[in-house]
Amino acid sequence: QVQLVQSGAEVKKPGASVKVSCKASGYTFTTLDLHWVRQAPGQGLEWMGWMNPNSGNTGYAQKFQGRVILTRDTSISTAYMELSSLTSADTAVYYCVRGRGAVACLDSWGQGTLLTVSS
Amino acid sequence: DIQMTQSPSTLSASVGDRVTITCRASQSVSRWLAWFQQKPGKAPKLLIYQASSLEIGVPSRFSGSGSGTEFTLTISSLQPDDFAVYYCQQYYGFPYTFGQGTKLEIK
């Protein structure tokens, strides 16, 4: 079955960077896009960006342009989300999500990674 | 960006009730609309895609309808497991956007 397993919780200071990993299994990693969505405590869902694991092409929400980088290592079926210049507003659960289909429906979600930004 | 607005924000209902949640888009998203269920501390779960297609494994009491700018999620007979937060999401264009959520509470 499809599984997306993310790295563990992180605590970072303001101004720092974080890199979250997402290991895919149960399907061919390079055939479907991966998206990243975050959820601040008690808040709704916010889409951050997407990556084509085959080509490495990416797209980002304007809000995160210049601050987020999506990468991948196809040899280990793992995607990465790096977010820099952290502030307390970045405290949230970050999810990697598989996009299914030519018009990508978000069908399978990782378990989430809690990022806490605090001085 | 396409704005997604759900109503109501909170819905109180009883086991066995039929409930409907509405989602409106600020511009047409054709049928590229999904519904998710989220329980506390868990990742969202896909229920409906392409406005009305039931995801594999999702009970048939869930159904979706609509196209363009107005969509609904209906639960035909509420079960105890259905009390959760529900989100709609458009994937017509980037950036993907979500509704603010509807919390379904036990009356």
Side-chain angles (χ1 to χ4, degrees):
Chain A
Q1 76 283 17
V2 175
Q3 270 197 304
L4 298 172
V5 178
Q6 298 181 222
S7 49
E10 301 265 11
V11 179
K12 296 292 182 182
K13 294 193 182 302
S17 297
V18 69
K19 192 171 186 177
V20 177
S21 68
C22 169
K23 183 171 178 59
S25 62
Y27 73 102
T28 303
F29 178 67
T30 52
T31 59
L32 294 170
D33 294 346
L34 274 173
H35 300 247
W36 291 82
V37 174
R38 77 176 187 180
Q39 186 171 37
Q43 302 301 308
L45 300 163
E46 181 175 33
W47 182 85
M48 300 177 67
W50 68 275
M51 181 187 64
N52 180 315
N54 184 46
S55 64
N57 288 346
T58 56
Y60 303 116
Q62 188 163 11
K63 175 177 179 176
F64 300 101
Q65 284 275 2
R67 219 164 55 90
V68 67
I69 301 174
L70 302 182
T71 57
R72 88 289 191 212
D73 183 340
T74 57
S75 68
I76 55 171
S77 300
T78 299
Y80 302 93
M81 187 280 297
E82 184 169 15
L83 186 63
S84 59
S85 303
L86 296 171
T87 72
S88 58
D90 294 315
T91 294
V93 176
Y94 289 76
Y95 295 101
C96 63
V97 194
R98 192 181 77 161
R100 184 181 75 203
V103 181
C105 158
L106 305 180
D107 72 339
S108 298
W109 294 61
Q111 85 275 19
T113 296
L114 175 62
L115 168 65
T116 303
V117 182
S118 173
S119 55
Chain B
D1 297 2
I2 299 173
Q3 306 297 321
M4 308 300 293
T5 304
Q6 290 181 230
S7 60
S9 296
T10 305
L11 180 55
S12 296
S14 301
V15 172
D17 284 353
R18 178 185 179 91
V19 299
T20 297
I21 299 169
T22 298
C23 177
R24 289 186 173 88
S26 61
Q27 65 186 75
S28 176
V29 299
S30 186
R31 291 179 60 80
W32 302 116
L33 189 285
W35 289 97
F36 298 89
Q37 176 193 67
Q38 187 177 32
K39 296 182 178 179
K42 299 294 188 182
K45 173 187 173 183
L46 177 65
L47 301 176
I48 302 284
Y49 63 96
Q50 235 170 295
S52 61
S53 295
L54 194 67
E55 178 70 348
I56 293 171
V58 174
S60 59
R61 62 181 180 272
F62 291 91
S63 64
S65 65
S67 65
T69 62
E70 187 149 340
F71 301 87
T72 59
L73 172 71
T74 299
I75 309 173
S76 60
S77 178
L78 274 174
Q79 299 302 301
D81 191 49
D82 299 339
F83 293 95
V85 179
Y86 292 84
Y87 293 95
C88 63
Q89 178 246 332
Q90 67 80 20
Y91 53 108
Y92 176 79
F94 292 135
Y96 288 179
T97 46
F98 294 85
Q100 81 279 15
T102 294
K103 184 175 183 180
L104 181 52
E105 297 181 327
I106 300 174
K107 186 184 287 185

